[in-house]
Amino acid sequence: QVQLVESGGGLVQPGGSLRLSCAASGRIFSISVMGWYRQAPGKERELVASILSGGSTNYADSVKGRFTISRENDKNWVYLQMNSVKPEDTAVYYCNADVLTGSGYVRAWGQGTLVTVSS
């Protein structure tokens, strides 16, 4: 019913920047929360940043001041601007959204996009 498709991952040097995008599609009435999670090899998936429909944001301490989450409510897009990246930011990044559909709320996940920070 709901699909999330991420784009923008790739290889970036330490100190560089990268912008991730995620588009939600399907039978969507509204989206309350959109967010980005990441999972590094051998580690659990963790929240990177989230944003409510009204614009309130929440960030993991490890990315505060470096990453910025934003969204376009009318287009159901969410973005993650990653600046001053570090090798420890290397992970698969997943888009997430709590979506109101005709069947109620659904928590949707994207397929993930790999971000590698290396020189």
Side-chain angles (χ1 to χ4, degrees):
Q1 284 186 329
V2 177
Q3 298 83 38
L4 301 181
V5 178
E6 302 105 334
S7 59
L11 176 65
V12 59
Q13 292 187 343
S17 297
L18 205 62
R19 189 191 194 209
L20 305 183
S21 301
C22 172
S25 62
R27 301 189 66 180
I28 297 172
F29 287 1
S30 64
I31 302 177
S32 57
V33 182
M34 301 189 83
W36 290 94
Y37 287 71
R38 67 185 180 187
Q39 186 166 19
K43 295 188 177 182
E44 294 186 353
R45 190 174 297 189
E46 62 175 0
L47 174 68
V48 176
S50 62
I51 183 168
L52 301 180
S53 57
S56 297
T57 58
N58 179 50
Y59 294 93
D61 288 342
S62 58
V63 307
K64 282 181 181 177
R66 300 188 298 122
F67 291 8
T68 302
I69 189 171
S70 59
R71 63 188 281 180
E72 292 185 77
N73 289 332
D74 57 341
K75 298 179 181 178
N76 295 326
W77 281 76
V78 64
Y79 307 95
L80 186 69
Q81 179 66 42
M82 306 168 61
N83 297 330
S84 302
V85 296
K86 304 175 181 179
E88 51 263 42
D89 294 321
T90 295
V92 177
Y93 284 72
Y94 297 91
C95 177
N96 163 270
D98 288 347
V99 181
L100 178 60
T101 71
S103 303
Y105 271 101
V106 172
R107 171 153 287 191
W109 291 91
Q111 81 286 354
T113 185
L114 177 63
V115 173
T116 302
V117 183
S118 175
S119 55

